[in-house]
Amino acid sequence: MKRAAAAAALQHLPEAGVVGLGTGSTAKIFIDLVGELVRGGRRLVGVPTSKASRAQAEALGVPLLPDDGPFEVDVCVDGADEVSDGLDLIKGGGGALLREKIVNFAAKKNLIIVDATKLSTRLGTTWAVPVEVARFGHAATAAALARFGRPTLRLRDGAPFVTDQGGLIYDVATGPIDDAADLERALDAVPGVVETGLFVGRADVVIVATPDGARERVRAR
Ligand code: 5RP
């Protein structure tokens, strides 16, 4: 299903232009397909949203913009961990939420590719909200985050997971969220918070793959 979603995204790509390259297992399949297009002569340039996506795209021979920006992205294609009825998102399961949000904001069009397991009526029902925090004082930041839900320091192999920028991640178990925009603003206001995995109003099109094929949902404006 992830492959079906990634393949369906290809029809949204320009003949020539700049493409945001998401992070995660679904985006990884998409990047492989972009590599095939580039090998076939398509003039696409990528903006990767993580070190992993950069390494993958480089290995495939996809030309890339430098990390410094500025970026003028025609279309960004990325995955998500949870998609609400209103097409708001929780992202950051792969820990790349900061770069993903920067590239998302630099894109004229944002396309999200998911399988149907990611759909839920209200954000926070199936996923905790990933919050990237600065290392300095992270336990103090976590104490402040506890107002919004139970924060758990993300670990990998028993040690704190470290983001591409050297930050840490707390996954904040909020439960179903009443107002995601309000929560995003409140989390952003906590000193030490670098970025949150709430993407409110940031998906233009969501491609949902089901066993019966991929279907598109377009955000109402
Ligand atoms: C990474 C992300 C991913 O897009 C999200 O975790 C979905 O990943 P997958 O496609 O592997 O389910 O936000 O930070």
Side-chain angles (χ1 to χ4, degrees), residues 2 22-27 78-81 90-97 100 113 115 118 127:
K2 289 181 179 189
T23 297
S25 56
T26 319
D78 204 347
D81 300 301
I90 290 180
K91 289 183 46 53
L97 56 142
E100 289 172 337
I113 48 177
D115 61 69
K118 307 289 184 70
W127 272 83

Side-chain angles (χ1 to χ4, degrees), residues 16-98:
V18 179
V19 180
L21 304 174
T23 297
S25 56
T26 319
K28 186 168 188 288
I29 299 168
F30 171 75
I31 295 169
D32 278 338
L33 296 174
V34 170
E36 283 174 25
L37 291 181
V38 168
R39 274 198 300 283
R42 192 88 160 254
R43 286 170 299 124
L44 297 173
V45 176
V47 179
T49 56
S50 61
K51 287 181 181 173
S53 294
R54 170 170 286 281
Q56 182 195 357
E58 266 171 4
L60 292 166
V62 178
L64 300 174
L65 293 186
D67 276 349
D68 287 343
F71 312 120
E72 281 194 28
V73 179
D74 293 298
V75 54
C76 177
V77 180
D78 204 347
D81 300 301
E82 191 173 357
V83 179
S84 73
D85 284 349
L87 304 189
D88 294 328
L89 317 170
I90 290 180
K91 289 183 46 53
L97 56 142
L98 174 63

Side-chain angles (χ1 to χ4, degrees), residues 154-180:
R154 191 179 294 185
L155 303 177
R156 181 181 280 176
D157 300 328
F161 173 88
V162 179
T163 69
D164 284 352
Q165 302 69 235
L168 303 177
I169 290 186
Y170 280 91
D171 292 296
V172 181
T174 58
I177 298 167
D178 286 331
D179 184 337

Side-chain angles (χ1 to χ4, degrees), residues 84 86-89 104-105 110 123 180-181 184 198-204 219-221:
S84 73
L87 304 189
D88 294 328
L89 317 170
N104 175 291
F105 270 68
N110 279 289
L123 294 184
E184 186 183 15
L198 288 168
F199 284 56
V200 180
R202 300 308 310 168
D204 297 301
R219 189 163 65 89
R221 287 183 182 273

